[in-house]
């Protein structure tokens, strides 16, 4: 079973452009009722029209290795809160950035083996 995380947005067009241009997201589904669902490297995130943006939580993109995290940092350095760092508490390599409405984006790789994500439990 897969899943989608949804957020309310006050400016869907700007966000879709940001995620497509800056994070390489692909438009997975556009719903005429006011939502667009993006595929960000396998993570499905939906943005739906609302009066106020919903910015709680963190959108985390998990990449395969540190080198890929570094490449994403190069693309997002102008909006990053700092360069990638090793986080020993969670054994990850990560950096944080902000989208145009202020949502926290985390880009990370695990520094250890993880179980496969199968969706069948």
């Amino acid at each position: 079973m897969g899943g989608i995380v949804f957020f309310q947005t006050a400016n869907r067009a700007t966000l879709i452009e940001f995620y497509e241009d800056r994070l390489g997201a692909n438009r997975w589904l556009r719903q005429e009722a006011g939502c667009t669902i993006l595929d960000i490297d396998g993570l499905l995130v939906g943005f739906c029209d609302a009066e106020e943006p919903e910015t709680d939580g963190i959108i985390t993109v998990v990449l395969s290795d540190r080198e890929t995290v570094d490449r994403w940092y190069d693309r997002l350095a102008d909006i990053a809160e700092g360069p990638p760092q090793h986080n020993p508490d969670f054994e990850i390599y990560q950096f944080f950035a902000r989208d145009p409405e202020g949502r926290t984006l985390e880009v990370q790789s695990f520094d250890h083996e993880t179980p496969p994500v199968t969706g069948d439990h």
Side-chain angles (χ1 to χ4, degrees), residues 37-55:
I37 301 171
L38 300 175
D39 180 345
I40 308 169
D41 223 33
L43 171 65
L44 294 180
V45 179
F47 294 103
C48 299
D49 295 336
E51 293 285 321
E52 295 292 322
E54 182 179 19
T55 59

Side-chain angles (χ1 to χ4, degrees), residues 1 62 110 112-121:
M1 174 190 331
V62 179
F110 287 97
H112 57 84
E113 292 294 318
T114 61
V117 178
T118 62
D120 297 326
H121 297 281

Side-chain angles (χ1 to χ4, degrees), residues 1 7-8 14 16 19 32 56 64 75 78 82 85 88 99 117:
M1 174 190 331
F7 292 96
Q8 295 178 340
T14 297
I16 299 311
Y19 281 91
E32 294 302 321
D56 292 337
S64 59
R75 277 196 337 226
D78 63 315
Q85 297 182 48
D99 79 8
V117 178

Side-chain angles (χ1 to χ4, degrees), residues 78-98:
D78 63 315
I79 60 168
E81 295 177 359
Q85 297 182 48
H86 172 69
N87 181 327
D89 294 336
F90 297 101
E91 294 184 60
I92 59 175
Y93 184 65
Q94 69 186 140
F95 72 91
F96 293 94
R98 297 273 177 181

